[in-house]
């Protein structure tokens, strides 16, 4: 699993920049355009929230656990609907920002939650968290299936029979290459190079192999209700994020400047400079080494 330190690197480093660019409770996961790119990013994110809430039957009074809640976009949406949400994240900056916005959020590993922590829930979500559940080392040790199976066992304990769980996650796609070929020394623009940059941006994280690996590991506890690919929608989402990240804001540009000394001295940050020039995830989606799936499950 990506450690807390890895996730502080990925999310807390950009905390203020993200909130100034995308909004104080902005989504940091693929939006749902359903191919209609005339929608704004905000409309497409709201469409995603509506889809999740409807798929899970979330209404006034529903108790909902949002695993990997980020800056709290889905918790904010369901709060407006009168549901009772609780979130966890491994980024302390995200948790602090959520609490400032009146959300019930703690720094906690969602994979370890049991009913003894917060009781049980009517619905559970994990919107872009599974990407971080298995590290490269765990993948190399052949532990990926075991990690996902254990995760689903724990989620099932938090729900009644018939209770629903929504997740969306990046997965490796049909053109994925062997891990050994991935390298920052590979030709720029190649899948091997784009995947190496992706690893630099998200240390400690290795993706599931297709939605099939996810569904297979969920099967003892959950049946699949619906599935859709969000790959093209994610390409659009990333394009919109990049416009917002570039948009001028004095404080934000000062924050970019404050990262420079770290970029000069730390290798991981130097690799990230390339991420500002090219979005590795977007290239991976375009090259179909990566795909993205939205999955609705029901506990059996
Ligand atoms: C891509 S962000 C998505 C955030 C949010 N769900 C959204 O849609 O904007 C991934 C989130 O998962 C969280 N995360 C990853 N692994 C986690 C774990 N084991 N326990 C708790 N949170 C985790 C990160 O801290 C981050 O908040």
């Amino acid at each position: 699993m990506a450690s807390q330190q890895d996730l502080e690197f990925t999310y807390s480093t950009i905390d203020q920049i993200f909130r100034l660019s995308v909004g104080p409770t902005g989504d940091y996961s693929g939006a749902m355009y359903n191919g209609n790119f005339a929608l704004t990013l905000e409309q497409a994110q709201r469409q995603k929230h509506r889809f999740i809430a409807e798929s899970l039957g979330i209404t006034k009074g529903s108790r909902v656990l949002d695993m990997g809640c980020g800056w709290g976009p889905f918790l904010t949406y369901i709060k407006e609907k009168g549901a009772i949400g609780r979130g966890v994240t491994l980024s302390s900056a995200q948790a602090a920002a959520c609490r400032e916005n009146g959300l019930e959020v703690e720094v906690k590993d969602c994979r370890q939650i049991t009913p003894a922590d917060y009781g049980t829930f009517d619905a559970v979500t994990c919107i872009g968290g599974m990407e971080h559940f298995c590290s490269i080392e765990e993948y190399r040790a052949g532990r990926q299936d075991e990690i996902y199976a254990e995760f689903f066992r724990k989620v099932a304990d938090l729900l009644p029979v018939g209770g629903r769980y929504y997740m969306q996650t990046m997965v490796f796609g049909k053109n994925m290459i062997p891990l050994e070929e991935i390298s920052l020394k590979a030709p720029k623009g190649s899948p091997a190079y784009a995947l190496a940059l992706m690893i630099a941006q998200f240390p400690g994280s290795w993706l599931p192999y297709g939605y099939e690996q996810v569904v297979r590991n969920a099967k003892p506890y959950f049946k699949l209700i619906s599935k859709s690919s969000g790959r093209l929608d994610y390409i659009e989402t990333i394009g919109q994020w990049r416009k917002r990240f570039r948009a001028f804001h004095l404080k934000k540009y000062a924050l970019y400047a404050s990262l420079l000394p770290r970029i000069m001295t730390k290798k991981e940050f130097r690799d990230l400079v390339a991420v500002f020039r090219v979005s590795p995830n977007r290239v991976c989606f375009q090259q179909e080494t990566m795909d993205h799936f939205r999955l609705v499950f029901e506990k059996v």
Side-chain angles (χ1 to χ4, degrees):
M1 185 190 91
S3 64
Q4 181 168 1
Q5 195 188 357
D6 291 332
L7 294 174
E8 297 284 12
F9 168 77
T10 302
Y11 297 108
S12 298
T13 311
I14 60 159
D15 170 53
Q16 292 193 58
I17 293 172
F18 181 89
R19 289 189 284 141
L20 287 169
S21 304
V22 184
T25 59
D27 294 76
Y28 204 21
S29 56
M32 190 172 209
Y33 290 89
N34 286 333
N36 176 8
F37 301 129
L39 295 179
T40 64
L41 176 63
E42 290 70 25
Q43 287 169 328
Q45 293 292 13
R46 197 148 180 99
Q47 176 153 280
K48 174 180 77 181
H49 299 157
R50 201 163 42 238
F51 169 77
I52 300 171
E54 285 173 10
S55 300
L56 269 51
I58 296 172
T59 52
K60 194 164 188 261
S62 301
R63 280 177 45 79
V64 182
L65 174 64
D66 190 16
M67 298 177 149
C69 63
W71 284 275
F74 188 63
L75 288 172
T76 304
Y77 176 82
I78 61 171
K79 191 175 178 185
E80 285 162 16
K81 304 276 161 218
I84 303 153
R86 169 172 285 286
V88 292
T89 169
L90 280 180
S91 156
S92 53
Q94 288 181 332
C98 285
R99 285 196 294 263
E100 260 171 44
N101 289 313
L103 301 171
E104 286 276 336
V105 172
E106 279 178 29
V107 174
K108 195 172 186 68
D109 179 0
C110 64
R111 302 188 325 159
Q112 304 304 332
I113 295 176
T114 70
D117 292 304
Y118 311 116
T120 55
F121 294 88
D122 300 309
V124 178
T125 52
C126 184
I127 308 166
M130 188 179 243
E131 286 89 336
H132 302 294
F133 289 177
C134 180
S135 65
I136 293 182
E137 292 71 28
E138 287 163 329
Y139 164 74
R140 282 207 175 99
R143 296 198 47 225
Q144 196 172 22
D145 277 319
E146 168 197 331
I147 286 167
Y148 297 151
E150 172 64 7
F151 171 70
F152 280 107
R153 191 179 68 73
K154 284 252 171 46
V155 177
D157 281 348
L158 300 172
L159 287 166
V161 171
R164 289 196 171 182
Y165 165 66
Y166 173 85
M167 60 172 286
Q168 61 179 57
T169 184
M170 297 175 188
V171 297
F172 289 128
K174 62 178 187 180
N175 296 331
M176 181 54 184
I177 58 173
L179 170 58
E180 303 68 45
E181 291 174 20
I182 296 173
S183 169
L184 285 169
K185 297 197 179 86
K188 299 214 173 10
S190 66
Y193 180 73
L195 283 158
L197 280 184
M198 199 269 293
I199 290 170
Q201 191 178 5
F202 300 102
S205 303
W206 191 248
L207 302 180
Y209 280 79
Y211 75 88
E212 294 88 344
Q213 184 174 22
V214 179
V215 173
R216 192 171 67 236
N217 285 291
K219 207 165 179 183
Y221 318 99
F222 290 94
K223 70 177 175 202
L224 183 66
I225 300 295
S226 78
K227 147 181 95 63
S228 60
S229 168
R231 184 177 68 86
L232 298 178
D233 284 359
Y234 219 136
I235 291 172
E236 175 67 15
T237 304
I238 294 169
Q240 293 300 328
W241 280 337
R242 291 177 76 78
K243 280 188 202 156
R244 285 162 176 71
F245 276 119
R246 282 198 203 105
F248 184 74
H249 183 293
L250 190 59
K251 185 170 173 203
K252 186 169 78 180
Y253 272 64
L255 288 162
Y256 282 135
S258 74
L259 286 179
L260 277 177
R262 290 161 88 179
I263 288 169
M264 308 314 239
T265 51
K266 280 197 122 189
K267 188 186 163 307
E268 314 88 87
F269 280 93
R270 282 204 303 273
D271 291 338
L272 271 187
V273 174
V275 171
F276 283 110
R277 285 198 295 268
V278 56
S279 159
N281 284 354
R282 182 160 62 172
V283 176
C284 292
F285 284 134
Q286 284 162 341
Q287 295 176 334
E288 294 195 60
T289 50
M290 277 170 36
D291 203 334
H292 178 262
F293 281 92
R294 312 179 182 108
L295 305 169
V296 179
F297 288 103
E298 186 172 293
K299 181 172 164 179
V300 290

